[in-house]
Amino acid sequence: MGGIHGDKYEAILDAAYTVFGTKGFYESKISEIAEQAGVAKGTVYLYFKSKEQLFTAVTRRDCEQYLAEMQGALANRALEEGLLRMANLHLHYYYKRKQHTKLFFMTPNSDPDLMEFMRGFIQDYTDMVKNKLALEGVRQPELHAKAFIGMMERLKMDILLDKDFREYDVDQTAEFAANLFMHGCKAGSGIRRL
Amino acid sequence: MGGIHGDKYEAILDAAYTVFGTKGFYESKISEIAEQAGVAKGTVYLYFKSKEQLFTAVTRRDCEQYLAEMQGALANRALEEGLLRMANLHLHYYYKRKQHTKLFFMTPNSDPDLMEFMRGFIQDYTDMVKNKLALEGVRQPELHAKAFIGMMERLKMDILLDKDFREYDVDQTAEFAANLFMHGCKAGSGIRRL
Amino acid sequence: MGGIHGDKYEAILDAAYTVFGTKGFYESKISEIAEQAGVAKGTVYLYFKSKEQLFTAVTRRDCEQYLAEMQGALANRALEEGLLRMANLHLHYYYKRKQHTKLFFMTPNSDPDLMEFMRGFIQDYTDMVKNKLALEGVRQPELHAKAFIGMMERLKMDILLDKDFREYDVDQTAEFAANLFMHGCKAGSGIRRL
Amino acid sequence: MGGIHGDKYEAILDAAYTVFGTKGFYESKISEIAEQAGVAKGTVYLYFKSKEQLFTAVTRRDCEQYLAEMQGALANRALEEGLLRMANLHLHYYYKRKQHTKLFFMTPNSDPDLMEFMRGFIQDYTDMVKNKLALEGVRQPELHAKAFIGMMERLKMDILLDKDFREYDVDQTAEFAANLFMHGCKAGSGIRRL
DNA sequence: GATGAATGAGGGTTCATTCAT
DNA sequence: TATGAATGAACCCTCATTCAT
């Protein structure tokens, strides 16, 4: 046995992560996920009630890993250093997921569980940053948190979509973001290319 | 006849804008769009080759209107004032489209025309900001442009998803964004609520 | 154009009558009905919302034809003669439908429309007999009506299931039934075989 | 161990009786029967080769009990008294099974064993009545037997479907049926309501 | 141009049955 | 015997697209 759910559960989830991530929810077929997982189509339905719930489970697992990785980034650090670490984690996380971009764009409409979960996830992520900012005396910490995350999201896009993006570019982008957020656009950092 | 394409063309485009915007691409039905446009299903195919191309046309029209509105925002202004105007336009634009959120999230995979167009649109938008920043001597103008737009995108989300967002909140959010971008997070603006 | 619904509508109904009648509801496939009707599978759904509703429509048409044929049997006749005619109609009706026995046995559970319709049909049929009996002074006309129809139903079964049943046997069975109902079992009729 | 087949065998048969009786053959799931019987799904297949055979076994047991109860009803009695007893048994039998109506309506097509058994059961039941009638000098005893049973079947329907049917109504219905069969419709019995 | 009836490929889901443990 | 995870065939229904009128 693998996890608490068993090997097949994990295999299906992994396969779904790959297929959904590659094609998006609507263009993915359960049969393909099953095949990729090495199980029969019916087996998928032993573990997940529907295609929507499978997608939700994939998303949930991914977001939870994400938040877990973020947890330590801000603790016990000066603000700028914490933000820099966070920016690094954020961008590297997606850099590793370059092959799964569709997971983040093509989500189903209908499933209320998923909508609810996503709302919660975004809130949790925002709160994490907001609390740190508040602690450091930044005013309007929630708005600032959202703006910071928004910057990261946009910079992440380049990473996802640009074939030529290299890992060291990620570090420089993170440094740029933290610096801009702290000091504004006039305080040019020492980044040379990009 | 209305536009160069004829009344029906516009009617279908308008209907598609509404339906796609409400339900997303995959959950929208051509039959519903046709009904909403007051034409027969077959008529849609006289004007658009496929569902994908109709979606692309809707998106294209919307993005072009957007860029057109943005054009004048930055010209002949000081940087901070230009960014503020731009932030205002950006956020108000989506505020007016609160009912069509799905248009921005649920797009189809498959259509290469759309992908190509979206890439071009994002590039044009970025360039518009980048050129202004370069003119003002900001280093790494492209990265800065992306970061600014990313901030706006995230702040826009609240507007789209928050039922209670009011129009004057939009203005304050824009002011906040421009200020943060110019001076960094420590230089608290005078915004009180939000 | 054939009826008010068009040729395809009738073709599908006829095909459904045959297939449902031969295999019963659950063992019948829409694809087979479509094929038999000479239309595509999807076409069935242009005329009928679901398999259940198609079955209901088939049943409804059949029952309505049945009641229509029965209408004249009892009017302006002496009781015994009327019952004899009715018995004849009842039995001949099913004799003609020997190939469609499943239509009467294998009906779906779920459809409330069908349940409601069948209840109404049985009631109408019963009332037709009941009213005649009441007019002729028979006490408890409803119970008597049900008993008479029950007799016919059982005698019909032999006709449906017995390969060797011939049309002239039908007449004799009808005569027997009317006689039994009028006079009881001791008043043996002159029927010789069966 | 309970019967010759073991406790599980009986438990499955009982569960199947309940589930098939409530939902009919096609809408019943083996998994539900297994659950109700307190055994695993696979266990059902240790005792019954298929869903059809389980249904056949349920039907067989029920019919055999029925015939067994009927056996004594006609022996050593005058005809009218025997028929009355039989009518009573017939109607009370179904009265007790009001909750299991689907068992009698929704049977599968495919199983030849079941078809064969049902044919035999009906024949046995008919013969039982036929022999008594022949003994009493009634002509065409088989036809008369079928007519009598048909009457009972129809009258039974009211009992199964009418929520308000009470046990004493059953007795009066039986009396009515026996009387009608003996003397015809003009010889009104003294039944007052129904 | 405009219509809408007709098409048919396609996929999510169910569930009887099997079999390794 | 007993289990229940796994299988995969089967089928209803949807809907983008076509085309005769």
Side-chain angles (χ1 to χ4, degrees), chain A residues 158-169:
Chain A
D158 282 355
I159 295 173
L160 288 178
L161 300 178
D162 183 346
K163 296 279 181 195
D164 299 327
F165 222 98
R166 297 287 163 248
E167 193 138 22
Y168 55 79
D169 297 335

Side-chain angles (χ1 to χ4, degrees), chain C residues 66 68-93 125 148 152 170-171 174-175 177-178:
Chain C
Y66 184 75
E69 291 191 20
M70 285 293 169
Q71 290 298 359
L74 289 171
N76 304 320
R77 293 177 205 280
L79 178 58
E80 186 158 7
E81 192 197 337
L83 291 176
L84 179 58
R85 274 187 65 86
M86 179 169 258
N88 258 298
L89 282 173
H90 189 123
L91 298 180
H92 278 289
Y93 191 84
Y125 189 20
F148 180 66
M152 305 312 304
V170 175
D171 295 332
E175 194 181 334

Side-chain angles (χ1 to χ4, degrees), chain C residues 23 26-27 102 105-107 109 140 144 146-147 150-151 154 158 176 180-185 189 191, chain D residues 23 26-27 102 105-107 109 140 144 146-147 150-151 154 158 176 181-185 189 191:
Chain C
K23 309 192 158 186
Y26 290 100
E27 308 272 349
K102 294 292 169 53
F105 304 147
M106 315 293 300
T107 64
N109 267 321
Q140 302 176 90
H144 274 100
K146 289 171 180 174
M151 271 172 33
R154 177 59 186 80
D158 282 354
F176 163 84
L180 171 60
F181 184 76
M182 291 299 293
H183 309 297
C185 68
S189 68
I191 303 174
Chain D
K23 309 191 160 185
Y26 289 100
E27 308 271 352
K102 294 289 170 56
F105 302 148
M106 314 292 298
T107 64
N109 271 319
Q140 303 173 86
H144 274 102
K146 288 170 180 175
M151 271 173 33
R154 177 60 185 81
D158 282 354
F176 163 84
F181 184 76
M182 292 298 294
H183 308 296
C185 68
S189 67
I191 305 174

Side-chain angles (χ1 to χ4, degrees), chain A residues 22-27 52 79 83 102 105-110 115 119 122 126 133 136-140 142-151 153-155 157-158 161-162 172-173 176 180-194, chain B residues 22-27 52 79 83 102 105-110 115 119 122 126 133 136-140 142-151 153-155 157-158 161 172-173 176 179-194:
Chain A
T22 307
K23 309 194 157 185
F25 178 77
Y26 289 100
E27 308 271 352
E52 271 86 5
L79 178 59
L83 291 176
K102 295 292 170 53
F105 302 148
M106 315 293 299
T107 64
N109 267 320
S110 29
M115 297 312 245
R119 190 180 301 274
I122 292 167
T126 304
L133 294 173
E136 300 288 334
V138 175
R139 281 188 279 175
Q140 303 173 88
E142 180 146 6
L143 256 190
H144 275 100
K146 288 171 181 175
F148 180 66
I149 293 172
M151 271 173 33
E153 287 289 301
R154 176 59 185 83
L155 297 172
M157 294 293 286
D158 282 355
L161 300 178
D162 183 346
Q172 298 204 333
T173 305
F176 164 84
L180 171 60
F181 184 78
M182 291 300 293
H183 309 295
C185 67
K186 289 296 191 177
S189 68
I191 303 176
R192 284 152 302 273
R193 60 178 293 280
L194 280 178
Chain B
T22 308
K23 309 191 160 187
F25 177 77
Y26 289 101
E27 309 271 352
E52 273 84 6
L79 178 59
L83 291 175
K102 295 289 170 55
F105 303 148
M106 315 293 298
T107 64
N109 270 319
S110 28
M115 297 312 249
R119 189 180 303 273
I122 291 167
T126 304
L133 293 174
E136 300 287 334
V138 174
R139 280 188 277 174
Q140 304 175 87
E142 180 148 6
L143 257 190
H144 274 100
K146 288 172 181 174
F148 180 66
I149 293 172
M151 272 172 34
E153 287 290 300
R154 176 60 184 85
L155 297 172
M157 293 294 287
D158 282 355
L161 301 178
Q172 297 204 332
T173 305
F176 163 85
N179 188 62
L180 171 60
F181 183 77
M182 291 300 293
H183 309 295
C185 68
K186 290 295 192 178
S189 68
I191 303 175
R192 284 154 301 274
R193 58 180 294 282
L194 281 179

Side-chain angles (χ1 to χ4, degrees), chain A residues 115-132:
Chain A
M115 297 312 245
E116 179 51 31
F117 175 77
M118 286 304 295
R119 190 180 301 274
F121 166 72
I122 292 167
Q123 190 63 56
D124 289 348
Y125 188 21
T126 304
D127 284 349
M128 193 184 293
V129 180
K130 169 187 158 190
N131 292 336
K132 180 67 177 180

